[in-house]
Amino acid sequence: MKKIGILFGQENSFPQAFVDRINQKAEKNISAEFVRLDKVMQAEPLDYAVIVDRISQDVPFYRAALKNAAICGTAVINNPFWWSADEKFFNNALAVKIGVPVPKTMILPSKDLPDDTTDRSFRNLAYPLDWDGIFNYVGFPAYMKPFDGGGWKEVYKLEDKEDFFDKYNKTKQYVMMLQEEVVFDDYFRCYCIGGKHVRIMQYEPRNPHHLRYEHGKAPAAKKLLDTIKDYVIKLNQFLGYDFNTVEFAIRDGIPYAIDFCNPAPDAEVTSVGQANFEWVVETAADYAIERAKKQKDGLDNLTWGEFVKTSAAKTPLVAAKAKPTKADVSVGAVDHAIETEAKVKKEKVVKAKKTVKK
């Protein structure tokens, strides 16, 4: 029997629905359950073919346990080695290299010295920085946010130089990114599972959290959706994420990737709505089963992105291509309030009515 486990924190709806969905499918010799850890011994397996990780980004103990499980053959979704090393500034740089538009972005040293350092630790850093060059490149208004953060924590909108310095002086030891503001005409949040299953959702980040999928906008053009689909697949295959979200701000018809480093993206029914929730539960369950069937004891069963593969092979990054795949692309439509989602007829999962095929 191959077991699929899910490791999670404060979530409510997704973990239980995920486990129930896998068990309802009754695949031969495959079952699902919540992960339980009572001891973690070095180089000893955890007895799971697959673990879906929804919490280790906040719990270092779990992160270490998952890396130990991976070296013993568990397929961990997402790869704990990769996302531990990944961060938003690198992601932007990679996006530029592979031809995905992103806002102009600079990285800044922390305002306060890190613990156990002194001024002598920063003798390679120019003082003062070329602030005029930085501001001229990014422009104002701008946004400032941690280079490895998430959940809209420590995010600042900046109107001018004075506003920048006022807020930068309060950022303590955070390493911040300064990023061009993209004034958008439309916005999308996209699930990507397995580097091939994509759910494109029109989104309004300026709404309260529980109403961000309640946008009231006209459906997007097929050409734009095709471009978004291609960018989503390319980003996730190069980064190597199994379960991720990518957000795009549309300016003058161009999708700019805003946020695409989410090792445990929000999948709660209360925020994403019933139709999107149904898609992500079904697709994640099918993908976990697929990974369990392919898992082999004693081997590395992790997903490694094209960036890592080209680095190891010492081949040019820009020469690499996303793997050919028959992509399932579903477009979520919201024409009613989120509060009424439970009354809406359930849409067909994965191959929805509005489906774009690669």
Side-chain angles (χ1 to χ4, degrees), residues 182-214:
V182 175
V183 180
F184 55 87
D185 308 308
D186 208 345
Y187 201 97
F188 296 86
R189 186 169 187 257
C190 309
Y191 283 119
C192 186
I193 295 178
K196 58 187 175 183
H197 304 293
V198 179
R199 174 76 166 180
I200 301 175
M201 304 169 287
Q202 274 182 296
Y203 188 70
E204 180 46 80
R206 294 166 293 201
N207 281 353
H209 189 74
H210 69 292
L211 294 176
R212 288 180 179 175
Y213 298 87
E214 172 62 31

Side-chain angles (χ1 to χ4, degrees), residues 22 27 30 32 36 73 119 137 141 161 173 191 197 200 228 259 290 301 319 342 352:
I22 290 174
E27 291 279 346
I30 292 178
R36 182 172 178 81
D119 290 343
Y137 173 71
K161 289 169 58 173
Q173 293 184 13
Y191 283 119
H197 304 293
I200 301 175
I228 289 171
D259 181 18
E290 176 187 328
N301 291 287

Side-chain angles (χ1 to χ4, degrees), residues 284-352:
D286 282 343
Y287 180 65
I289 291 169
E290 176 187 328
R291 291 290 296 275
K293 290 179 177 179
K294 292 179 179 178
Q295 185 266 349
K296 291 181 171 55
D297 291 337
L299 297 181
D300 176 2
N301 291 287
L302 300 174
T303 296
W304 296 96
E306 294 303 315
F307 170 76
V308 172
K309 292 177 182 178
T310 57
S311 297
K314 299 190 182 301
T315 56
L317 174 67
V318 293
K321 294 182 179 180
K323 291 183 294 184
T325 180
K326 186 177 180 181
D328 286 315
V329 182
S330 173
V331 182
V334 177
D335 56 3
H336 50 273
I338 290 294
E339 288 80 1
T340 67
E341 283 276 9
K343 302 176 184 177
V344 178
K345 184 178 180 181
K346 189 181 297 183
E347 73 177 54
K348 188 176 180 182
V349 176
V350 182
K351 295 183 179 178

